[in-house]
Amino acid sequence: MILVTGGAGYIGSHTIKELLRDGQEVVALDNLSAGHRELVLCPEFVEGDLADAALLARTFRRYPIEAVIHFAAHTSVPESVANPRKYYQNNIVSGLSLLDAMVECGVNAIVFSSSAAVYGDPVRVPIPEDHPCAPKNPYGRTKLAFEGILHDYGVTYGLRHVSLRYFNAAGSDPDGEIGECHDPETHLIPIVLEVAAGVRREVQIFGTDYETKDGTAVRDYIHVFDLARAHVRALGALEGGTAAPAYNLGTGRGYTVREVVECCRRITGREIRAVDAPRRAGDPAALVADPSRAKRDLGWEPRFTTLDPIVATAWRWMLRRR
Ligand code: UFG
């Protein structure tokens, strides 16, 4: 059985769906501070916090857990700058509580939700996993620090681990059953689609003077379904002892903010008002993955390689929710 922490969140809930499709038994754990109970498709659900050591011990005793996929974390870059304490407390201290419970209960395999935020401003693009890591904000520092902790727990306690560094997760379940629900929403694609849906007046384009083809920032948008599939592959590689410590998960192709807005106009057929705005603090100009290691080791390749189906699935989910 697989324990999925943060299983009621965006990427966690999509990964549970994929694990179930793969025939795995799953128990989800989530404190519902940002997650949504109705997104959890597995029958076993534990409501609670990773900081609660007694709850973790009970959960590991109650279920025959063989491995953990650890999503539970705070994920907003600007919030991490405003409130670093919250990020170090939850993403590091509570994460340690999980690792200690695993060591005590003899569960020795973990797939960790990391981020392209560990790289900071890239010195070369596309970014391979051995690119220098110099995060620009507390969020990225918590992710990098936790990767280091996993390394140390591996050396000393034999914990098998793999960190998946997501680029820009986007899109929603192609079946339309579950999808992205952040509140407040800060991510580009759902914000642009909220303008299309008439619930937001306009989207601000943060930064129009970057050294990119149209002056706006470039990101590698990876479909959440492809991220979910990568977790199943990474678990298999962990079990087989063939996993590298970290994998980039992206498509290898970048789109500018203006291209995203244009794509949303095309897919929705609606008017979308976009206004130029200053750069957002802490944003790198371009983040694009070199995903070749995941392809080589995990046999993983994104099925959605362009923006259109990412936006189309996100739009379908937004129309369904409203
Ligand atoms: N953007 C806008 N207007 C908006 C929102 C975003 O122009 O209203 C721009 C941003 O400035 C950025 C791009 O759109 O250039 C993408 O922004 P997102 O907020 O959607 O995503 P980020 O690239 O900032 O962040 C994502 C994840 C983080 C992760 C980071 C690096 O949300 O968790 O990628 O991997 F740290």
Side-chain angles (χ1 to χ4, degrees), residues 69-193:
I69 306 184
H70 176 38
F71 293 100
H74 295 313
T75 59
S76 158
V77 170
E79 189 189 39
S80 80
V81 175
N83 192 356
R85 234 175 124 168
K86 177 175 175 182
Y87 277 68
Y88 286 107
Q89 194 63 44
N90 192 38
N91 296 8
I92 305 270
V93 178
S94 298
L96 268 177
S97 155
L98 170 69
L99 297 186
D100 288 336
M102 290 176 68
V103 170
E104 271 155 40
C105 299
V107 178
N108 76 340
I110 182 166
V111 178
F112 172 57
S113 252
S114 190
S115 169
V118 299
Y119 296 115
D121 273 322
V123 293
R124 59 180 195 278
V125 175
I127 304 171
E129 288 83 353
D130 61 3
H131 183 283
C133 288
K136 288 185 82 174
N137 49 60
Y139 168 73
R141 273 188 280 279
T142 66
K143 291 291 172 184
L144 185 60
F146 205 76
E147 288 195 12
I149 292 169
L150 288 175
H151 169 82
D152 293 339
Y153 272 52
V155 170
T156 305
Y157 308 120
L159 185 69
R160 287 178 294 157
H161 57 92
V162 54
S163 296
L164 302 181
R165 296 174 177 165
Y166 316 141
F167 281 66
N168 285 60
S172 286
D173 174 26
D175 303 333
E177 198 177 8
I178 53 176
E180 184 168 16
C181 318
H182 291 118
D183 185 22
E185 188 53 78
T186 62
H187 294 105
L188 179 64
I189 291 175
I191 284 179
V192 177
L193 293 179

Side-chain angles (χ1 to χ4, degrees), residues 1 3-4 27-29 45-49 52-65 98 101 105 107:
M1 189 172 223
L3 171 67
V4 178
V27 51
L29 185 148
F45 178 75
V46 177
E47 182 173 345
D49 200 281
D52 184 346
L55 175 86
L56 287 178
R58 274 202 309 281
T59 305
F60 281 113
R61 268 201 307 272
R62 179 164 165 208
Y63 298 100
I65 294 164
L98 170 69
C105 299
V107 178

